[in-house]
Amino acid sequence: MNQTSLDIPQIDEEKTRFKMEKMMEKYKMLRLQTPEDFLPKITTTYTIKPPSFSNQFHSTTEEAALKKMDWEIERDQFMKRIQRAINRLTQKERRILVMLYMQDEEMFDYEIYAEMGLSQRNYYRFKNKAFYRLAFALREEVYKGGKP
C-alpha cells in the first residue's frame, strides 16, 4: 500500500502544546487546592422539610463529606494519570516538566535551562517535545480540523 494514500490526520502542535500547558497548570493547582464549599457549614440553618421515612436524607455535613470525597477521588485519578504519563517521557523532558509544574518551589524557564546546562534554544525544543509526547501519552493530542 502506498504511504501517501493513507489518510493520516495532521496534529495541531500549537493547540496540543496549549492544552498540555493547561493540564499541567491544573495539576499544579490541584496540589494546593481544597475548595471551601466542600467544608461543612457550622452555623445552624432552619428549613422546612417534610418528614422523610426513607434513608435518603443527608445533613449538610454528610453532603459536604460525600462531595469532598468524590472531588478527591477525581483529583487523585487526574494526578495519577499525569504522573504515569510523565514517567514515560525521557529524562530531560521529565525533568523540565517536574521542575516547572510538580515542585513546591516555582521555577522559571531561564532558571531551568541554566540549571540543566542547556542553551535557551535547546531548552525550548525539549520543552515543546515534552508537551507533544505528553499529549500522546495522555491521548489528548489536538488534530487540525477536529479529527480524532
Side-chain angles (χ1 to χ4, degrees):
M1 187 173 213
N2 190 353
Q3 190 175 11
T4 57
S5 67
L6 295 175
D7 187 24
I8 300 172
Q10 292 286 320
I11 292 179
D12 191 331
E13 292 181 25
E14 187 175 326
K15 287 182 181 177
T16 299
R17 188 187 84 250
F18 182 74
K19 186 175 183 179
M20 290 301 99
E21 287 175 347
K22 289 292 182 192
M23 287 183 79
M24 292 306 294
E25 285 295 329
K26 179 180 177 181
Y27 177 91
K28 194 176 192 177
M29 289 299 122
L30 286 175
R31 290 180 62 229
L32 305 171
Q33 195 175 36
T34 302
E36 214 175 287
D37 61 325
F38 288 166
L39 301 174
K41 295 178 184 173
I42 295 177
T43 58
T44 57
T45 57
Y46 297 100
T47 59
I48 300 174
K49 289 189 180 181
S52 175
F53 299 109
S54 68
N55 198 13
Q56 294 184 356
F57 171 77
H58 296 290
S59 70
T60 57
T61 304
E62 289 171 327
E63 287 176 14
L66 291 171
K67 194 174 180 183
K68 184 174 184 350
M69 185 178 71
D70 290 342
W71 180 83
E72 293 215 1
I73 289 170
E74 185 179 326
R75 181 192 70 184
D76 288 345
Q77 288 173 346
F78 176 81
M79 292 179 76
K80 284 178 184 175
R81 182 174 174 231
I82 296 286
Q83 290 165 358
R84 281 193 308 269
I86 284 180
N87 283 333
R88 297 179 70 195
L89 302 178
T90 66
Q91 184 179 1
K92 282 184 183 177
E93 294 166 348
R94 185 172 43 239
R95 190 169 175 203
I96 289 169
L97 294 180
V98 166
M99 292 171 97
L100 273 174
Y101 299 103
M102 302 176 90
Q103 311 187 118
D104 291 332
E105 186 176 328
E106 186 173 352
M107 292 186 78
F108 297 100
D109 288 322
Y110 67 90
E111 294 173 314
I112 296 170
Y113 66 73
E115 186 173 315
M116 291 180 70
L118 295 171
S119 68
Q120 182 178 5
R121 184 176 179 156
N122 280 336
Y123 167 77
Y124 283 108
R125 282 185 186 159
F126 280 114
K127 182 180 172 184
N128 287 334
K129 190 175 178 184
F131 282 131
Y132 194 67
R133 289 174 41 104
L134 181 64
F136 276 105
L138 292 169
R139 298 178 186 250
E140 293 284 343
E141 62 273 9
V142 179
Y143 292 95
K144 291 181 180 176
K147 295 180 191 177

